[in-house]
Each structure stands twice: as C-alpha cells, then as structure tokens.
Amino acid sequence: MTVTWSKLICQAEKLLGGPAPFINLASILSSEAGSLASRARRLASNVNHPFFSTVRSCLRGKSVNNLFSISSAISDHFSPPIMSERPSGGLIILLVGQSYASPTNSTKLCNQHRSLAEIFETVHTALAIHKSLVDLDDVTRKTNDTETWMKNMEVANKLATLSGDVLLASVSTSLAKLHHAKAVDIISEAMGNMVEAEFHELALTSTIDVNHTVENNLDANPIHLSPTEKWLSFVQLSRGALLGSCCEAALLLVEKHICNSSSIPIELNRDWNKISSTVKSFGSTWACLTRLTEEREHIQRTWFTELTADTYQSVKGIQAMKRNDFTPSEIIPDYTEFGLSEPTFADAILSCSTSKTHHKLKDIVDEVLSEYNQIGYELAGELREYFAQIVSTNAQINGDSLQKVKHLPGVQLLGQMVDKLIDDCNCTP
C-alpha cells in the first residue's frame, strides 16, 4: 500500500499529541493585531493589494501553487503531477526534536519545541507580509479615481508593514522565553539570511530582460555562478537557513539532558558541534529539496502542449510570457509562495542560456527538467546521508543498535518522510 503524506502527517500528529502549531495566537489576539485586522477588513473590499491575498495564503498554510487546477492540455511528455500536501516545516522541527528527546524529558522541553515551530511559521508569515508591499510608482492604476486609489494603497502598505512588525515582535518575545542564548543567536542569524535573500542576484533579476541582466553581471562580477550554485545559494538563504537553524535549536534545547548523561561517550561531547551541524544541514536540505520538488511540479502542471510542441521563442520572449505580456492561454504562470511570485531554478537556468538567440520551447523544457533531475538527485543523496548520521549519533547517545533506533517512533516517521519526499522528487541523474 502506497504511503501518503496525509497518513504520515496523521501519524506524526498522534505521536506529538496534536498538529504542529501555526503562528503564535497571542500575537493575533493582541489588541494591536485586532485593530489592524479590523482596518484590513474594511479596506479589503476597496483595493486589490497583495497584502490581502498574502494573508489569505498564509492562513491557509499553503502556497497558491498547490491550489491550481490541473490543465487537461498538459503534454503526455510530462509525468503526472503530484498534488499532495507535504508536512509543514514546524512538523519537521518537532520530529527532529522528538528523535533526540527521551521519554523522561519534561513537558517544558516539549513546549519549547512547539514554540520553535511557532517561531518558524510566524517568521515566514511576517516576512511574506512585508514582501507584499507595493511600489506605488510601478503599479498601473486601474481606476479613474487616482486620489482614492493612491490613498487606499498607501494605507494597505502601512497595514502590511505594521502587521509584519507585530508578528516579528511576538517572535522576539518567544525567543527570549527559550532562555537559550545560542538558540536565539542562530535563529536571529537565519532571519537575517532570509532578508538577505531578497537582495540576492536571482531575486533581483528574475523578472528583468535576461540578456541585459547577464551582460551587466559579466561586467560587474568576475565570479560567475552556475545556475545550480545561484539557485542553491538563494534557496538556502530564503528557505533552508531558518528550517535548519530551528532544527538545530531543537537539538540544542535537549543538549543539557544528553550531555549530562553518564552513558554518553566522551567523543560525542567533544563533537557536539558536529552533531548540531548535521541536524542543521538536514533541515536546510529538506527545505531545498521540498522547494525544488514543488517548482518541478509547477513546471509540469503549467507548461502547455501547444507551446512545447511548436513554438520557438527567444529567451527574452520566454521572460515576457512570464511577465504576462502574452494572452492568458500562452503564458507560463509564475511560481508563487504565499501569493507572491518567487524566482525559480528555471529562472536561473534561463538567465544563463546565452549560447542561442532562439530556442524551441520544448527543448528548453527538456533542458530545464533535466537540470531539475540532476540537482534533485544530488539533494536527495545528501538528505539520506544526513538522516543516516542522525540515526547513527542517536544510537551512540542512547547506547542502542542502529536497528533499534530506526524503529523509535519519531525516527521511523522522520525516515518515512525522507523516503516519501525523495519519491516525490523522483529524480535520476
């Protein structure tokens, strides 16, 4: 019988005593948030601002891509898309903590792990809301009442700024309650990495004329990154850093219990930094492979038969389609998260495709999917290796055999999720 994500998530929730938390309810129910929500409801019917669609997507806990219907026009050239809801980052954090925690750990530790999951989700929500801010000088006005439109858009921008700030303030409070300086430090650094990703080369150039962008990069930057390096560096900053750091923090919170055990080998105490680094790499790689899989599924759902079969387009023309300069039936829809467009590995590949002036779109699709397969295969191998190291160190810590550790409920579930994610990726070199 095929294992589904819904079954694995249900098993994890039973093990953990409930679903993974979303965001800190205290921050939503505060008087400041209530005032902002009331103002937003009144404004939502008067202006079409990305803030509202972003909030709706965040509260649904899924990206808009997962809500797209499957077009019947998709070519048989593609494998059937996988429409399943994968576990949240918060659930992965809880399972990593559960894998190392012992049955004798206190309720306080469990609550701290759940707080980490809340922090993870709240940071993503807050930064997504901040990203929904609109540059009013670049937006086409769709109403004759320019003054009213401008006023409403300015108010919506202010609401987005304040809403994100309220959530980030609640994150600061939650971090302080952990009473663990190193955990606070690594999560704060990861939040900085997420902001840094907004100024990454891939994020800044994904919607610009590719030929112009590459030419500028050749003049300005003598070190040229490959598409794989460019995409990985972006996703590791924007997605991998926070999940990896929260997984590491979950381990740090049980460090005192583990290191105080008299049965722990001395070499493990000396190599604790290496153990925590492995857990961090596991979380980061999980985030990268999940993002890669979702991007690949998005391409398989949205690149149409008539375009892949017959149409020749320049790289510039493809980017024009992604900017909706063509009719709706001809465009390649943008990849989105939380209702906001995101640069993809395909963008990185196309930005480096300067050897030809014109391409047959079917050939480009083949090239893009081939690149996705290659990087997916490499990430899948790394994820398996990091999980094997987690199992190995867990066995050493508890003085158990590898087989016994693999059958621990938390470890077993995490291993099944690793296998399922790799199966979803379905990448071969």
Side-chain angles (χ1 to χ4, degrees):
M1 182 177 178
T2 304
V3 177
T4 62
W5 279 120
S6 58
K7 182 178 179 180
L8 291 175
I9 292 172
C10 183
Q11 291 176 354
E13 290 175 349
K14 288 180 180 178
L15 174 66
L16 298 169
F22 179 44
I23 62 177
N24 190 346
L25 290 177
S27 63
I28 296 180
L29 300 176
S30 66
S31 58
E32 296 89 347
S35 175
L36 291 173
S38 176
R39 186 66 182 271
R41 281 195 297 270
R42 293 196 299 269
L43 188 63
S45 60
N46 298 324
V47 64
N48 183 22
H49 192 283
F51 166 66
F52 302 109
S53 60
T54 299
V55 170
R56 285 192 292 269
S57 296
C58 290
L59 293 179
R60 282 196 297 262
K62 59 183 73 175
S63 67
V64 172
N65 285 317
N66 292 335
L67 305 178
F68 287 165
S69 59
I70 305 175
S71 171
S72 59
I74 294 179
S75 171
D76 292 336
H77 172 75
F78 301 126
S79 59
I82 302 169
M83 298 293 287
S84 61
E85 185 176 352
R86 297 184 176 89
S88 65
L91 190 62
I92 299 303
I93 294 166
L94 293 176
L95 284 175
V96 168
Q98 179 73 21
S99 297
Y100 281 97
S102 71
T104 60
N105 287 145
S106 65
T107 303
K108 179 181 178 181
L109 179 61
C110 295
N111 290 336
Q112 286 179 322
H113 284 166
R114 294 189 70 82
S115 180
L116 280 175
E118 280 185 359
I119 288 169
F120 173 84
E121 300 293 353
T122 305
V123 170
H124 270 295
T125 301
L127 293 185
I129 289 174
H130 275 167
K131 285 169 61 178
S132 70
L133 288 169
V134 173
D135 184 350
L136 300 182
D137 293 332
D138 292 340
V139 177
T140 303
R141 293 158 178 75
K142 298 182 179 180
T143 176
N144 294 327
D145 191 350
T146 303
E147 183 178 352
T148 301
W149 177 89
M150 181 68 73
K151 181 179 179 180
N152 287 337
M153 291 294 284
E154 287 177 348
V155 172
N157 271 350
K158 292 176 181 178
L159 283 173
T161 302
L162 291 173
S163 299
D165 288 348
V166 167
L167 292 176
L168 289 177
S170 73
V171 167
S172 298
T173 302
S174 298
L175 284 173
K177 290 180 180 179
L178 294 177
H179 301 292
H180 198 298
K182 188 173 181 180
V184 173
D185 183 55
I186 61 175
I187 293 176
S188 299
E189 182 180 357
M191 292 168 63
N193 289 337
M194 293 181 70
V195 175
E196 182 183 346
E198 298 307 307
F199 302 93
H200 190 277
E201 177 187 359
L202 184 59
L204 294 176
T205 62
S206 61
T207 58
I208 301 176
D209 178 352
V210 173
N211 293 324
H212 177 70
T213 300
V214 172
E215 181 179 355
N216 284 347
N217 288 341
L218 289 173
D219 294 336
N221 186 4
I223 301 176
H224 310 302
L225 296 178
S226 68
T228 299
E229 293 170 331
K230 186 185 296 185
W231 180 83
L232 274 177
S233 64
F234 170 74
V235 176
Q236 285 169 349
L237 289 172
S238 63
R239 293 294 175 267
L242 186 61
L243 183 57
S245 294
C246 286
C247 288
E248 182 182 9
L251 180 60
L252 291 175
L253 291 173
V254 298
E255 177 182 4
K256 183 177 181 180
H257 168 80
I258 294 176
C259 291
N260 284 345
S261 174
S262 59
S263 63
I264 302 302
I266 296 176
E267 60 270 17
L268 279 184
N269 282 324
R270 290 199 304 263
D271 294 340
W272 187 259
N273 288 337
K274 182 178 179 180
I275 298 172
S276 60
S277 176
T278 297
V279 172
K280 181 177 183 178
S281 297
F282 173 85
S284 178
T285 306
W286 175 281
C288 291
L289 186 57
T290 300
R291 171 64 178 263
L292 184 88
T293 303
E294 291 177 350
E295 285 186 18
R296 187 168 175 263
E297 291 170 357
H298 173 68
I299 291 175
Q300 292 172 328
R301 288 197 299 270
T302 57
W303 287 25
F304 300 156
T305 302
E306 58 269 22
L307 288 175
T308 59
D310 303 318
T311 305
Y312 284 85
Q313 292 289 343
S314 66
V315 173
K316 181 178 179 180
I318 294 170
Q319 293 296 318
M321 288 193 294
K322 289 175 71 66
R323 293 196 301 271
N324 295 344
D325 290 342
F326 283 54
T327 61
S329 62
E330 295 176 329
I331 64 170
I332 302 173
D334 285 337
Y335 176 84
T336 58
E337 283 188 344
F338 302 118
L340 301 170
S341 295
E342 283 279 312
T344 64
F345 185 38
D347 291 319
I349 295 170
L350 294 176
S351 69
C352 296
S353 298
T354 57
S355 58
K356 302 177 182 179
T357 56
H358 288 78
H359 305 261
K360 192 172 183 180
L361 193 53
K362 180 181 183 300
D363 295 336
I364 292 178
V365 173
D366 290 338
E367 177 187 352
V368 167
L369 291 180
S370 175
E371 293 287 346
Y372 269 98
N373 286 341
Q374 180 61 41
I375 188 175
Y377 179 80
E378 294 172 1
L379 287 173
E382 291 175 8
L383 189 65
R384 284 195 190 279
E385 177 61 27
Y386 290 134
F387 177 71
Q389 292 179 29
I390 288 175
V391 174
S392 176
T393 54
N394 199 318
Q396 290 178 280
I397 289 170
N398 294 298
D400 295 325
S401 66
L402 288 176
Q403 287 302 318
K404 183 175 180 180
V405 170
K406 287 180 180 179
H407 286 87
L408 293 175
V411 176
Q412 186 176 31
L413 262 176
L414 193 59
Q416 289 175 334
M417 288 186 176
V418 168
D419 292 337
K420 177 60 176 170
L421 180 59
I422 292 174
D423 287 343
D424 282 2
C425 183
N426 191 27
C427 293
T428 56

